[in-house]
Amino acid sequence: MAKIAYILLCHKGPEAIIGQAEMLTAAGDYIAIHFDGRAKPEDFQQIKAALADNPNVTFARKRIKCGWGEWSLVQATLLAVEAAVQAFPRATHFYMLSGDCAAIKSARYAHDFLDAEDVDYIESFDYFDSDWIKTGMKEERLIYRHFFNERKHKWLFDTSFHLQQRFGLKRDIPHDIQVQIGSQWWCLRRRTVEWILDFTRKRRDVMRFFRTTWIPDETFFQTVVRHLVPDSEIRTRTLTFLMFTEYGMPQTFYNDHYDLLLGQDFLFARKISPEAIELKQRLGALYSNDKAEFKISNEGTSLFKFLTGRGRIGRRFASRFWETESTLGRQRELMIVICKKWHVAKRLLEQIRQVTNVPAIEYLFNEEHTDLPDLGGIQTSLGKRTRHRRALMRMLFDYYETDQMIVCMDPSALDLLQDFASDRSTTRMLEVQCVFSDEYLIGHAMRVGLAGEQTSAETLERLLPTIRGDMTFESDKIRDAEFEHHYIINEARDAEENAAPLSNFLDISHDKARQIAQSDHLFAD
């Protein structure tokens, strides 16, 4: 009978991970856990302590700091697979999971399903001939080297790419490899996994190639499996049920999706909302129910398209996405940097990116050309962003697959601050108070059209107190709003004084906060 070793990549929610591991191993299966190296050490220690006495649990020998689109995700997966192969000699199958996945069938059903055919389950479509990639880079993912994280270091990522294009620094794909692409959620037999590990040791050229491709978790295993395993032993599909909205975001499942999920021809589903407590409890009980019977209708994807399609043409039963998704989510944290000097806030954000792994976006409600991903058109103008502010923010959380995000806003946007502060999510604000010299205020007046090159010195002299008073008034209104999590750093204070509010705002150590506060020229004009 099949014995499954689950390969779990996770970065948050220690209690949920412990529960997931206990549920899966209670049925006699195994689990190998890689907990992101960027996550809190105390969370990892909590997981290890809780599962220390469970012989069916093991951990990757090394924790990798993972980043979206990076080789680190593949490296973390390989480390967890190696640990599972060594620790569980009786495991027959290795199933890739994330912390957002949940079983939608019983353990007995899953074992019988895998016993029915001696095959591997992995999406693997020809990289160049298929239409798996809808927009954006395609060939460029492979023929150029990608050294930087596109989301953390956008400028470096783009600059490196454009320089390689300019100087013709293309590279060849290994001649005997036909690159494939597909979902990273696979289930592979033990023999296949052992072949892959052996391949990683022998084919250093292929490993070097994939280390600098972009988003290799969609290509590495898919390519290597197709290279090593006969086509007749591969089923080009995933056993994890997932759907995407018309905006390209993963559809999240809630308590009322229980019956729909059970009817799908899959063993797991992704993504389950952290707030869907009842759904998780019912699915957890189901996994250990050996007598459960399942009627497979497999209508999930077509039903979803039908219902959302009705809403798009104005018919009943399906309101628009931004009308239904009116909250960011109780488990999420939105951190807002408030600063009148935009260049200071951007400089601060760059320092925060160096110290934390939290996605950070600049003045998305103030600057038309703020760098944003394609979210189906909602991001294309300031008017749309502001009008559908919560929907936009929720989509950004989903896009970056995170529960924490930092954005910048101008102090004049009090209505936006109040709106986000009233959400069920946690909203923290860091007000950056700057010293405004006369030279800066004159420049500001010219930038916003209050003055021009021909404006007389006398007029400017009368204008400056009004502008300075307006900026002070904006700060006073924010303070008078009495937001629950409102922290202030001030240009006139030293780094040690500013470190405390920075530490509370970012939930980082005082030393790391002081490192940010001590940044050279942080407040310089």
Side-chain angles (χ1 to χ4, degrees), residues 202-216:
K202 291 180 177 178
R203 291 298 302 271
R204 309 311 299 176
D205 59 323
V206 176
M207 299 299 285
R208 283 193 300 272
F209 171 77
F210 277 105
R211 280 181 187 276
T212 50
T213 58
W214 189 41
I215 321 182

Side-chain angles (χ1 to χ4, degrees), residues 416-428:
L416 288 176
L417 298 175
Q418 290 173 322
D419 188 25
F420 285 120
S422 67
D423 191 83
R424 286 188 298 171
S425 63
T426 299
T427 302
R428 297 205 293 270

Side-chain angles (χ1 to χ4, degrees), residues 281-387:
Q281 291 173 342
R282 295 180 72 184
L283 292 176
L286 177 71
Y287 191 74
S288 58
N289 184 354
D290 288 344
K291 297 181 180 179
E293 298 292 334
F294 301 91
K295 295 180 180 180
I296 305 301
S297 58
N298 218 31
E299 84 297 346
T301 303
S302 57
L303 179 62
F304 177 74
K305 288 181 178 178
F306 173 79
L307 290 176
T308 54
R310 300 309 91 192
R312 293 303 294 169
I313 59 174
R315 292 169 65 179
R316 59 180 181 165
F317 302 133
S319 54
R320 285 176 178 267
F321 177 87
W322 43 77
E323 295 169 341
T324 58
E325 303 289 13
S326 59
T327 178
L328 305 188
R330 193 183 303 278
Q331 81 285 3
R332 286 172 167 162
E333 294 181 350
L334 177 63
M335 292 174 277
I336 305 175
V337 174
I338 309 164
C339 186
K340 198 66 183 179
K341 290 186 177 181
W342 296 0
H343 61 281
V344 173
K346 293 176 182 180
R347 203 176 290 144
L348 176 63
L349 238 60
E350 186 54 36
Q351 296 303 318
I352 291 173
R353 290 189 185 105
Q354 311 250 342
V355 175
T356 74
N357 194 37
V358 181
I361 302 171
E362 295 171 2
Y363 287 84
L364 72 169
F365 296 111
N366 302 100
E367 289 186 303
E368 192 85 47
H369 301 296
T370 298
D371 193 17
L372 292 170
D374 186 352
L375 301 174
I378 195 174
Q379 83 293 343
T380 53
S381 70
L382 289 177
K384 283 187 177 181
R385 295 177 208 168
T386 304
R387 190 162 57 251

